[in-house]
Amino acid sequence: MTDQPRQPERPRFEPEIIPPGESHDPRGTRVFIDQTTTEQIFVGRISPLQMFMLALVIGAVIAVVLVILLGAFLLWIPIVGLLVAAGLVAGVLRPLFQRRG
């Protein structure tokens, strides 16, 4: 431990000064600052082809989810049909197995 006072830490990056007439950062980046950290996030523009591909991927995901849900629903149709048929058969056969007292 030394008795020398601590020197202030030099900033790692120089602050960027945006002129008053400039509406946005020409590099397409935004810097968000909170109390503890600084993060740099790149915000890019989406081209029409990228928008089409994004819509295609979202549509494919929705289609897969729909197929899974319909498959689960269609799986239950025969099971419910078998239960209804078993109930009808049991109703028809009940008088044959009742004891007469």
Side-chain angles (χ1 to χ4, degrees), residues 44-60:
R45 296 189 187 271
I46 298 178
S47 71
L49 178 62
Q50 290 172 333
M51 183 66 80
F52 175 74
M53 294 299 288
L54 180 64
L56 196 64
V57 167
I58 290 172

Side-chain angles (χ1 to χ4, degrees), residues 38-100:
T38 301
E39 297 179 20
Q40 189 171 3
I41 299 174
F42 176 74
V43 180
R45 296 189 187 271
I46 298 178
S47 71
L49 178 62
Q50 290 172 333
M51 183 66 80
F52 175 74
M53 294 299 288
L54 180 64
L56 196 64
V57 167
I58 290 172
V61 168
I62 290 173
V64 167
V65 169
L66 186 64
V67 165
I68 290 171
L69 289 176
L70 284 175
F73 176 72
L74 292 175
L75 179 70
W76 280 101
I77 290 176
I79 294 172
V80 170
L82 286 173
L83 289 175
V84 169
L88 290 173
V89 169
V92 169
L93 296 177
R94 175 179 266 174
L96 297 175
F97 293 109
Q98 284 184 344
R99 290 188 179 180
R100 295 183 189 177

